[in-house]
């Protein structure tokens, strides 16, 4: 990875070479975790106010909280995955273009051209 100046990094963000969305997705993930856990705790204690729910309501609140956390994590990972796929495709494109440049330079050497035409 190349070292870039501070100005170069900002220019990368302004030129859409680097994305801020993965950072924002991680931030939103943690906010969502706090919301889900607080809702789960609220649902857990709300079942004690409803005697007809009993132990089933408590277990349902706990299971719903865990499943909600798993689903939230999965959704955020899928969003991050899209950005990671894009980054890998850019790396592949850069590697292929540098390989093509090396091959073009190799073909311009006179002895190699003569050998290829024989």
């Amino acid at each position: 990875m190349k070292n870039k100046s501070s100005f170069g990094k900002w220019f990368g963000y302004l030129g859409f070479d680097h994305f801020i969305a993965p950072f924002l997705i991680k931030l939103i993930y943690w906010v969502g975790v706090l919301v889900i856990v607080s809702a789960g705790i609220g649902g857990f204690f709300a079942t004690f106010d409803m005697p007809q729910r009993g132990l089933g309501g408590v277990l349902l609140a706990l299971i719903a909280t865990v499943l909600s956390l798993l689903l939230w994590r999965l959704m955020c990972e899928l969003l991050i995955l899209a950005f990671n796929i894009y980054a890998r495709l850019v790396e592949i494109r850069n590697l292929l273009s540098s390989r093509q440049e090396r091959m073009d330079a190799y073909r311009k050497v006179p002895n190699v051209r003569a050998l290829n035409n024989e």
Side-chain angles (χ1 to χ4, degrees), residues 2 12 14 16-18 26 44 51 60-61 63 66-67 73 78 82 88 92 113 116:
K2 298 177 183 176
L14 294 175
F16 291 97
D17 294 330
H18 303 289
K26 291 174 188 175
F44 176 78
L60 184 64
I63 291 171
V66 170
L67 290 178
R73 174 71 186 219
L78 288 174
R88 296 294 181 228
I92 291 169
R113 192 177 332 144
N116 287 337

Short mmCIF file of all heavy atoms in Angstrom, two decimals, residues 2 12 14 16-18 26 44 51 60-61 63 66-67 73 78 82 88 92 113 116:
data_model
loop_
_atom_site.label_atom_id
_atom_site.label_comp_id
_atom_site.label_asym_id
_atom_site.label_seq_id
_atom_site.Cartn_x
_atom_site.Cartn_y
_atom_site.Cartn_z
N LYS A 2 0.55 2.19 -0.82
CA LYS A 2 1.35 3.40 -0.94
C LYS A 2 1.02 4.38 0.18
O LYS A 2 -0.12 4.49 0.59
CB LYS A 2 1.09 4.06 -2.29
CG LYS A 2 1.46 3.20 -3.47
CD LYS A 2 1.11 3.91 -4.76
CE LYS A 2 1.42 3.03 -5.94
NZ LYS A 2 1.00 3.65 -7.19
N GLY A 12 -8.74 11.56 -2.48
CA GLY A 12 -9.30 10.25 -2.78
C GLY A 12 -10.75 10.15 -2.36
O GLY A 12 -11.56 9.54 -3.05
N LEU A 14 -12.78 12.83 -2.03
CA LEU A 14 -13.53 13.77 -2.87
C LEU A 14 -13.69 13.24 -4.29
O LEU A 14 -14.68 13.52 -4.95
CB LEU A 14 -12.83 15.13 -2.88
CG LEU A 14 -12.80 15.87 -1.55
CD1 LEU A 14 -11.99 17.15 -1.65
CD2 LEU A 14 -14.20 16.19 -1.07
N PHE A 16 -14.04 10.11 -5.04
CA PHE A 16 -14.73 8.83 -4.93
C PHE A 16 -13.81 7.63 -5.20
O PHE A 16 -14.26 6.58 -5.63
CB PHE A 16 -15.96 8.77 -5.85
CG PHE A 16 -17.06 9.68 -5.41
CD1 PHE A 16 -17.21 10.93 -5.97
CD2 PHE A 16 -17.93 9.29 -4.42
CE1 PHE A 16 -18.21 11.78 -5.55
CE2 PHE A 16 -18.94 10.13 -4.00
CZ PHE A 16 -19.08 11.37 -4.57
N ASP A 17 -12.49 7.81 -4.94
CA ASP A 17 -11.58 6.67 -5.01
C ASP A 17 -11.67 5.85 -3.73
O ASP A 17 -11.39 4.66 -3.74
CB ASP A 17 -10.14 7.15 -5.20
CG ASP A 17 -9.95 7.82 -6.56
OD1 ASP A 17 -10.65 7.44 -7.51
OD2 ASP A 17 -9.09 8.74 -6.65
N HIS A 18 -12.01 6.49 -2.64
CA HIS A 18 -12.21 5.82 -1.36
C HIS A 18 -13.64 6.11 -0.90
O HIS A 18 -14.17 7.18 -1.16
CB HIS A 18 -11.23 6.34 -0.30
CG HIS A 18 -9.81 6.21 -0.70
ND1 HIS A 18 -9.17 5.00 -0.76
CD2 HIS A 18 -8.90 7.13 -1.07
CE1 HIS A 18 -7.93 5.18 -1.13
NE2 HIS A 18 -7.73 6.47 -1.34
N LYS A 26 -20.47 0.57 9.62
CA LYS A 26 -20.01 0.04 10.92
C LYS A 26 -20.58 0.87 12.07
O LYS A 26 -20.98 0.32 13.09
CB LYS A 26 -18.49 0.02 10.98
CG LYS A 26 -17.89 -1.01 10.05
CD LYS A 26 -16.38 -0.91 10.02
CE LYS A 26 -15.81 -1.81 8.93
NZ LYS A 26 -14.36 -1.64 8.79
N PHE A 44 -37.99 -7.90 27.62
CA PHE A 44 -37.78 -8.87 28.69
C PHE A 44 -38.50 -8.44 29.96
O PHE A 44 -39.23 -9.20 30.58
CB PHE A 44 -36.28 -9.04 28.93
CG PHE A 44 -35.93 -9.94 30.08
CD1 PHE A 44 -35.99 -11.31 29.94
CD2 PHE A 44 -35.54 -9.40 31.29
CE1 PHE A 44 -35.66 -12.14 30.99
CE2 PHE A 44 -35.20 -10.22 32.35
CZ PHE A 44 -35.26 -11.60 32.21
N PRO A 51 -48.74 -11.08 33.44
CA PRO A 51 -48.64 -12.42 34.04
C PRO A 51 -49.09 -13.54 33.11
O PRO A 51 -48.66 -14.68 33.26
CB PRO A 51 -49.53 -12.33 35.28
CG PRO A 51 -50.22 -11.04 35.23
CD PRO A 51 -49.63 -10.21 34.16
N LEU A 60 -39.31 -15.89 24.65
CA LEU A 60 -39.56 -15.30 23.34
C LEU A 60 -38.82 -13.98 23.18
O LEU A 60 -38.25 -13.70 22.11
CB LEU A 60 -41.07 -15.10 23.13
CG LEU A 60 -41.49 -14.58 21.77
CD1 LEU A 60 -41.12 -15.60 20.69
CD2 LEU A 60 -42.98 -14.30 21.75
N ALA A 61 -38.79 -13.16 24.22
CA ALA A 61 -38.08 -11.89 24.16
C ALA A 61 -36.57 -12.12 23.97
O ALA A 61 -35.93 -11.43 23.18
CB ALA A 61 -38.34 -11.08 25.42
N ILE A 63 -35.07 -14.87 22.67
CA ILE A 63 -34.83 -15.46 21.35
C ILE A 63 -34.98 -14.40 20.25
O ILE A 63 -34.17 -14.34 19.32
CB ILE A 63 -35.78 -16.65 21.11
CG1 ILE A 63 -35.38 -17.80 22.05
CG2 ILE A 63 -35.75 -17.11 19.67
CD1 ILE A 63 -36.37 -18.94 22.06
N VAL A 66 -31.82 -12.19 20.21
CA VAL A 66 -30.67 -12.86 19.61
C VAL A 66 -30.83 -12.97 18.10
O VAL A 66 -29.90 -12.68 17.33
CB VAL A 66 -30.46 -14.25 20.25
CG1 VAL A 66 -29.42 -15.06 19.49
CG2 VAL A 66 -30.04 -14.10 21.70
N LEU A 67 -32.02 -13.37 17.64
CA LEU A 67 -32.25 -13.48 16.20
C LEU A 67 -32.19 -12.12 15.51
O LEU A 67 -31.69 -12.01 14.39
CB LEU A 67 -33.59 -14.16 15.93
CG LEU A 67 -33.64 -15.66 16.26
CD1 LEU A 67 -35.04 -16.21 15.99
CD2 LEU A 67 -32.61 -16.43 15.47
N ARG A 73 -26.64 -8.17 11.95
CA ARG A 73 -25.24 -8.38 11.59
C ARG A 73 -25.13 -8.85 10.14
O ARG A 73 -24.28 -8.39 9.38
CB ARG A 73 -24.63 -9.41 12.54
CG ARG A 73 -23.23 -9.85 12.22
CD ARG A 73 -22.24 -8.76 12.48
NE ARG A 73 -20.91 -9.16 12.03
CZ ARG A 73 -19.81 -8.89 12.69
NH1 ARG A 73 -19.86 -8.20 13.81
NH2 ARG A 73 -18.66 -9.27 12.23
N LEU A 78 -23.51 -7.88 4.53
CA LEU A 78 -23.78 -7.89 3.10
C LEU A 78 -23.48 -6.54 2.46
O LEU A 78 -22.96 -6.48 1.34
CB LEU A 78 -25.23 -8.31 2.83
CG LEU A 78 -25.54 -9.78 3.08
CD1 LEU A 78 -27.04 -10.03 2.91
CD2 LEU A 78 -24.75 -10.67 2.15
N ALA A 82 -20.35 -5.84 -0.38
CA ALA A 82 -20.44 -5.18 -1.69
C ALA A 82 -19.27 -4.23 -1.90
O ALA A 82 -18.68 -4.18 -2.99
CB ALA A 82 -21.76 -4.42 -1.79
N ARG A 88 -11.77 -5.39 -4.44
CA ARG A 88 -11.02 -6.49 -5.06
C ARG A 88 -11.05 -6.40 -6.58
O ARG A 88 -10.05 -6.69 -7.25
CB ARG A 88 -11.57 -7.85 -4.62
CG ARG A 88 -11.44 -8.12 -3.17
CD ARG A 88 -9.99 -8.24 -2.76
NE ARG A 88 -9.90 -8.52 -1.35
CZ ARG A 88 -9.12 -7.88 -0.51
NH1 ARG A 88 -8.31 -6.96 -0.94
NH2 ARG A 88 -9.12 -8.19 0.77
N ILE A 92 -7.86 -6.22 -9.12
CA ILE A 92 -7.69 -7.11 -10.28
C ILE A 92 -7.50 -6.30 -11.55
O ILE A 92 -6.63 -6.61 -12.37
CB ILE A 92 -8.89 -8.07 -10.40
CG1 ILE A 92 -8.89 -9.07 -9.24
CG2 ILE A 92 -8.88 -8.80 -11.74
CD1 ILE A 92 -10.16 -9.87 -9.12
N ARG A 113 10.52 -9.62 -30.94
CA ARG A 113 9.64 -9.49 -32.09
C ARG A 113 10.11 -10.41 -33.22
O ARG A 113 9.33 -11.08 -33.86
CB ARG A 113 9.56 -8.05 -32.57
CG ARG A 113 8.44 -7.83 -33.55
CD ARG A 113 8.27 -6.41 -34.00
NE ARG A 113 8.70 -5.44 -33.02
CZ ARG A 113 9.29 -4.29 -33.32
NH1 ARG A 113 9.53 -3.97 -34.57
NH2 ARG A 113 9.65 -3.46 -32.39
N ASN A 116 9.21 -13.94 -32.30
CA ASN A 116 7.78 -14.20 -32.42
C ASN A 116 7.33 -14.36 -33.86
O ASN A 116 6.38 -15.05 -34.14
CB ASN A 116 6.97 -13.08 -31.76
CG ASN A 116 7.06 -13.14 -30.24
OD1 ASN A 116 7.33 -14.19 -29.67
ND2 ASN A 116 6.85 -12.01 -29.60
#
